[in-house]
Amino acid sequence: MQMFNSPYRSVLSCVRTVQRTEGFGAFYRSYTTQLTMNVPFQAIHFITYEFLQEHMNPLRGYNPTSHIVAGAVAGAVAAAATTPLDVCKTLLNTQENTALSSLNIRGHLSGMLNAFRTVYQLGGLGGFFKGVQARVIYQMPSTAIAWSVYEFFKYFLTKHRLEKRTSL
């Protein structure tokens, strides 16, 4: 439904049509690609956040500015680094007919290796980074908010627990 000019009017319509025309497996066509993308994204994201926190906030105190900045930068780095995987996942999810037919690919594209090959044939190395700016811009506020909320509640709950112990 995220595709431009999607023929579906609702999620239910989309699910019914895909199930009828492509079968249940179509819903999991890019499952391994999704995992292949999410694992490196999260690893890069957490490593970058922790690295930045070590430099910006070495005492690891509650510092909203460092949490927001480190979270945003970590999300940006992870998003940019995993964009090639996201491009392949999107191709597998959408099965973009115009792109596939331009390479005389009939039927459904499947598998990460085929997706990488197809993206390269369609756009060369630059094709793997289509939409990188939008992906980075989307991830930065999302990860900044997520880390700042996480750090706030960690601080709040830890402080509350310490206050309870000292009052006993």
Side-chain angles (χ1 to χ4, degrees):
M1 289 190 61
Q2 292 177 325
M3 292 178 7
F4 178 71
N5 282 336
S6 173
Y8 308 110
R9 299 257 183 251
S10 69
V11 172
L12 191 56
S13 165
C14 178
V15 169
R16 285 180 178 153
T17 303
V18 170
Q19 169 64 35
R20 186 180 66 252
T21 60
E22 300 179 46
F24 188 70
F27 296 106
Y28 295 94
R29 184 175 294 128
S30 67
Y31 183 71
T32 55
T33 307
Q34 185 73 36
L35 289 178
T36 303
M37 184 183 73
N38 284 343
V39 170
F41 178 92
Q42 292 303 331
I44 294 166
H45 179 205
F46 275 80
I47 290 167
T48 304
Y49 180 79
E50 289 297 324
F51 175 81
L52 292 171
Q53 282 298 296
E54 282 294 319
H55 288 71
M56 296 175 66
N57 188 9
L59 299 177
R60 296 305 187 121
Y62 177 64
N63 181 336
T65 301
S66 78
H67 305 317
I68 289 169
V69 170
V73 172
V77 170
T82 58
T83 294
L85 299 170
D86 190 49
V87 169
C88 292
K89 175 199 62 110
T90 301
L91 180 61
L92 289 170
N93 279 344
T94 61
Q95 298 291 315
E96 175 52 51
N97 287 331
T98 305
L100 295 177
S101 63
S102 73
L103 296 175
N104 294 321
I105 296 174
R106 307 236 187 290
H108 292 291
L109 183 66
S110 64
M112 185 67 130
L113 188 58
N114 287 331
F116 267 99
R117 195 176 299 124
T118 303
V119 169
Y120 184 76
Q121 289 173 328
L122 288 168
L125 288 177
F128 290 104
F129 291 93
K130 292 277 188 191
V132 68
Q133 299 92 342
R135 195 161 192 275
V136 166
I137 290 168
Y138 169 80
Q139 286 296 333
M140 287 180 77
S142 173
T143 53
I145 292 167
W147 278 112
S148 60
V149 169
Y150 166 77
E151 294 288 357
F152 169 77
F153 278 103
K154 185 172 83 173
Y155 166 76
F156 177 78
L157 295 172
T158 303
K159 181 182 174 200
H160 181 69
R161 190 173 43 199
L162 288 174
E163 287 175 354
K164 267 183 130 174
R165 282 188 198 162
T166 57
S167 67
L168 293 177

